[in-house]
Amino acid sequence: MLSFASSSLSYAPTVAPRARVSMVTKNAGLETFGKIAEGHHIKVAETGLAYDPSVTWTTGEISTQAGMMELAKKLNPTVGFYDPLGIVGPDAKPETIGWFRHAEIKHGRVAMAAFVGYCVQSNGICFPWNIQGSFGYDLPAVSFADISAAGGPADQWDALPTAAKVQILCVIGFLEMWGETSAALEMDGQKHYVRGGKPGYFPKLKGKMPHPVPLDLWDPFGFTSKMSAERKEKALLAEVNNGRLAMIGIFGMISASKGLKVPGLDSIAGIKPYAGEVMAPFTAADASLPFVEGMAKSIGGYGW
């Protein structure tokens, strides 16, 4: 929300519309200036940034503990509001609530894709073509069937060529950057989720890239745009619940592959054991990358 110059403090007007912001600089004159807005009240003094919870958040998104309690009852009337860590207390900041809501929705979506992918890969289903060819660089041909034959999903990741791993991680990094960029959100008429925007919203890609992008990442076929407001609300609630279940499911499958006892998953056929380190994205086979060789030596022993 604030940008700081090298020798003095400067305010960047990127807070929620008409947010009341007052700032005191550390310059000789102790200049004081403020900006009026609906949303929240931020004070910047010599000690840093402080939040005033007495000013209400007026962007329409859930911003209070009461709102989270109401949402929890809609998601699961039986369990209701359950917050043993006290993350969403009576004085929880709207930014904090937006951050955690967005994190849950995003991780739930990733977990749903991961759960389906884990089931597909565990059953040997793969594309019928090569993932790597020579392309004039004298590279060995590697087919998706070769990768699938390596074992379970985690072994299949380890079996990927180093270039494939780097490409996947670069795409993930780009998508993360694009989803967090306020300029991309504003082109869709949206705001960042910690500034009153919609948690879980991912900006469109079509028509915004130098290279043509045929489909958007979220809702590529435009199904949600045809839903009524009531139907969309129910679908969003179902998405959060399905995401929570998928997060439990994918971690359960990974744990079962490591030999841990997971009720309901221990006896499921197709979960192959994995001897590697699930938290290590690279192995000794990727030693051509910087720092990987040293990291690989620490796998399993944590290097201390």
Side-chain angles (χ1 to χ4, degrees), residues 22-65:
S22 57
M23 177 177 292
V24 180
T25 66
K26 297 175 67 175
N27 292 338
L30 285 180
E31 297 180 28
T32 304
F33 61 94
K35 198 174 178 84
I36 303 282
E38 292 173 8
H40 50 285
H41 188 183
I42 300 174
K43 297 176 181 177
V44 176
E46 291 184 328
T47 54
L49 186 66
Y51 174 77
D52 183 357
S54 64
V55 180
T56 58
W57 184 262
T58 58
T59 59
E61 295 298 328
I62 296 174
S63 60
T64 63
Q65 185 188 58

Side-chain angles (χ1 to χ4, degrees), residues 5 35 41 57 89 137 143 165 201 241 248:
K35 198 174 178 84
H41 188 183
W57 184 262
Y137 293 96
S143 68
K165 295 179 182 178
Y201 184 87
N241 281 328
I248 296 173

Side-chain angles (χ1 to χ4, degrees), residues 71-89:
L71 175 64
K73 292 178 182 178
K74 292 180 180 179
L75 289 168
N76 193 321
T78 302
V79 176
F81 183 72
Y82 181 67
D83 185 20
L85 299 179
I87 294 173
V88 183

Side-chain angles (χ1 to χ4, degrees), residues 192-207:
H192 196 275
Y193 52 85
V194 299
R195 296 172 183 161
K198 296 178 182 178
Y201 184 87
F202 191 87
K204 296 179 181 179
L205 295 167
K206 292 177 63 176

Side-chain angles (χ1 to χ4, degrees), residues 153-227:
D155 284 303
Q156 292 176 35
W157 168 263
D158 290 343
L160 285 174
T162 301
K165 295 179 182 178
V166 171
Q167 288 173 1
I168 292 171
L169 294 177
C170 285
V171 170
I172 293 173
F174 166 76
L175 294 176
E176 281 288 297
M177 178 196 69
W178 184 253
E180 295 289 332
T181 302
S182 295
L185 291 163
E186 290 169 0
M187 283 191 283
D188 290 350
Q190 302 292 329
K191 295 178 183 178
H192 196 275
Y193 52 85
V194 299
R195 296 172 183 161
K198 296 178 182 178
Y201 184 87
F202 191 87
K204 296 179 181 179
L205 295 167
K206 292 177 63 176
K208 299 176 182 177
M209 298 287 122
H211 184 78
V213 178
L215 299 171
D216 289 317
L217 178 66
W218 167 248
D219 192 20
F221 303 108
F223 292 140
T224 59
S225 62
K226 304 173 184 177
M227 293 182 179

